[in-house]
Amino acid sequence: MASHYYTNGSNPPPHATDVVVVTPCGACKILRRRCVDKCILAPHFPPTEPLKFTMAHRVFGASNIIKLLQELQEFERPDAVSSIVYEANARIIDPIYGTVGTIFRLQNQVIELQAQLAKAKAEILNMKCQQAAFVSTETCRSSLTSPEQFFDEFKHGSEDSFESSNPCVFHDDDQESLWDAIWA
């Protein structure tokens, strides 16, 4: 739809002698043609954004854009224009792969970030195990009076032994294994 600007303000002119200035839509301005009242491109390519149509026109061509929009329902057109403009910009930046190249780069970034997250989780688990081992060792040292007592406690085990108090020691009866925590 063409935009109408009036010389005497925002109200329509009361007399036929007032001057009416009609501004074509962004697409018609680029194509250097007269913009009709029911221009299919006008709602999607305003005169204030001529670059939007220029990119889409350069990649797809005006006639193809018009044909595509004519085949769609009116409520589907804004999404289609948005997709056309996005694909056109991607094709101008990366003529070979376009949006597929962007998707591929983002998928690789997600894979790298997942690997970094798994590594960070493994490091946290390792630090927790080291801390538990240190606390357990310090507890054993402070509770035992002689090295022989420490050796006997380690050899025979007890309810408060290193294996039972350490979360990093794998027990067969555990429901969740250590590997689940590392690779989750």
Side-chain angles (χ1 to χ4, degrees):
M1 177 186 311
S3 302
H4 297 282
Y5 295 101
Y6 302 103
T7 56
N8 64 348
S10 61
N11 296 330
H15 305 291
T17 59
D18 290 341
V19 177
V20 176
V21 177
V22 178
T23 303
C25 68
C28 292
K29 189 183 282 188
I30 298 298
L31 296 173
R32 295 182 181 173
R33 68 179 193 183
R34 186 170 183 229
C35 191
V36 295
D37 284 338
K38 296 197 180 212
C39 177
I40 196 167
L41 300 172
H44 312 291
F45 299 104
T48 56
E49 300 176 13
L51 190 61
K52 185 176 175 182
F53 180 76
T54 303
M55 298 297 179
H57 173 57
R58 187 179 295 169
V59 174
F60 296 107
S63 62
N64 290 331
I65 295 170
I66 292 170
K67 286 178 193 174
L68 178 76
L69 292 177
Q70 287 173 341
E71 291 175 4
L72 297 173
Q73 297 292 328
E74 214 167 307
F75 69 91
E76 297 173 319
R77 291 176 185 169
D79 290 335
V81 168
S82 176
S83 295
I84 288 170
V85 170
Y86 186 82
E87 177 68 31
N89 287 332
R91 285 280 170 193
I92 289 172
I93 293 169
D94 186 356
I96 296 171
Y97 295 110
T99 54
V100 174
T102 303
I103 292 169
F104 181 72
R105 282 190 300 277
L106 290 173
Q107 284 176 336
N108 284 340
Q109 187 177 5
V110 166
I111 290 168
E112 289 173 11
L113 291 172
Q114 286 174 337
Q116 289 177 6
L117 180 62
K119 183 179 177 183
K121 285 181 177 181
E123 288 176 6
I124 289 171
L125 185 62
N126 187 20
M127 288 180 190
K128 285 181 180 180
C129 289
Q130 289 175 355
Q131 182 184 14
F134 178 74
V135 169
S136 180
T137 305
E138 289 298 317
T139 304
C140 288
R141 285 185 186 165
S142 64
S143 66
L144 300 175
T145 57
S146 69
E148 291 81 20
Q149 233 180 345
F150 179 74
F151 179 71
D152 287 339
E153 191 72 31
F154 181 74
K155 183 177 170 185
H156 300 295
S158 71
E159 293 297 321
D160 298 327
S161 68
F162 174 74
E163 288 81 11
S164 63
S165 65
N166 190 344
C168 299
V169 174
F170 179 73
H171 299 287
D172 289 335
D173 59 338
D174 284 349
Q175 295 294 327
E176 182 180 334
S177 73
L178 176 65
W179 295 109
D180 291 340
I182 292 175
W183 299 111

